[in-house]
Amino acid sequence: MSRRLTPAQQRGVSVGVATGLYGISFGALAVVAGLNVWQAQALSLLMFTGGSQFAFIGVLAGGGTLGAATAAASLLGVRNAVYGVTANAMLRPRGWQRAAAAQVTIDESIAVASGQEDPDEERRGFWAAGIAVFVLWNLCTLLGAALGDALGDPKAWGLDGAAIAAFLGLLWPRLKSRDPIAIAVLAAVVTLLVAPFVPPGIPIIVAAAVSLACGFVVARSSVPERTASASEPPSKGP
């Protein structure tokens, strides 16, 4: 008799299904941006971070160079290095598990794991979400790339600007508080200001740099507040 999934594993699989379906959009738009099916598949297998992948093909679709696309994707992927510290503390992986954990350390796996109180459930949630997203994202990328390759000329279908729209669709659900919204607005304003004066692909790099700088400042400013609140003595009742 098969063992039932724990609550953390169920959450991880459901997140994997919901996120993995975005791979269809990525695969189709990667081909629209000028990649072939196997290049799109390689990005999902090796880069495997949705925001960076959409930024990469967004720059290419906008006429940017390969170097600009790589720089934009790298800047947006910096957050995964921060996630790696959290994942290492939760999982304490050894041997081959270190490489596997590094590959599936993404927004979704960290979010599912961090939502658990039990350490064992943290690990189960992390692996369930990470593996589910990885498998489904790559399968859907292949499907989407094959469909995109069959569509032919992207302009005939109105898809030549769709990569940016898909990237924004992936970003929007993450804007759940005032700080991310303010950072997104500032990055958009800066992008509009520099776009007329720089080559294609550079504005998104500037926007990513602005976002990272603002995120660092917000994180640093919140540390004293947490420290101060932790040091305050508990208030006495009446």
Side-chain angles (χ1 to χ4, degrees):
M1 183 174 63
S2 60
R3 183 175 66 88
R4 294 182 59 185
L5 297 178
T6 68
Q9 289 171 329
Q10 292 175 359
R11 175 83 182 276
V13 170
S14 65
V15 168
V17 171
T19 305
L21 293 176
Y22 274 101
I24 296 177
S25 298
F26 171 74
L29 295 175
V31 172
V32 166
L35 303 182
N36 62 37
V37 173
W38 302 115
Q39 287 171 332
Q41 191 65 51
L43 279 179
S44 282
L45 284 168
L46 302 175
M47 184 181 288
F48 186 54
T49 168
S52 294
Q53 290 179 234
F54 275 111
F56 185 90
I57 63 171
V59 172
L60 293 182
T65 64
L66 180 61
T70 302
S74 299
L75 281 172
L76 289 174
V78 167
R79 71 190 190 284
N80 287 49
V82 179
Y83 291 158
V85 176
T86 302
N88 189 63
M90 287 192 297
L91 304 175
R92 302 192 181 280
R94 296 289 185 271
W96 64 269
Q97 288 187 350
R98 293 180 66 87
Q103 182 67 3
V104 297
T105 297
I106 53 176
D107 296 341
E108 290 77 14
S109 59
I110 291 296
V112 172
S114 300
Q116 313 304 318
E117 296 183 358
D118 179 67
D120 289 335
E121 281 288 84
E122 285 181 345
R123 288 188 287 271
R124 295 185 189 112
F126 174 89
W127 288 112
I131 293 173
V133 174
F134 183 82
V135 171
L136 289 170
W137 181 271
N138 278 280
L139 289 176
C140 288
T141 293
L142 183 59
L143 175 61
L147 292 174
D149 192 45
L151 288 176
D153 183 10
K155 293 183 179 179
W157 297 88
L159 294 176
D160 44 317
I164 299 298
F167 176 64
L168 292 175
L170 195 68
L171 172 67
W172 185 256
R174 289 166 168 78
L175 303 180
K176 296 180 179 179
S177 63
R178 287 179 297 178
D179 287 341
I181 292 175
I183 293 172
V185 170
L186 177 60
V189 171
V190 172
T191 300
L192 291 174
L193 291 175
V194 303
F197 308 103
V198 297
I202 301 300
I204 195 171
I205 297 176
V206 174
V210 169
S211 299
L212 286 173
C214 291
F216 179 76
V217 171
V218 170
R220 287 288 300 271
S221 64
S222 64
V223 171
E225 295 177 4
R226 290 196 297 267
T227 304
S229 61
S231 62
E232 291 177 358
S235 59
K236 297 181 179 179

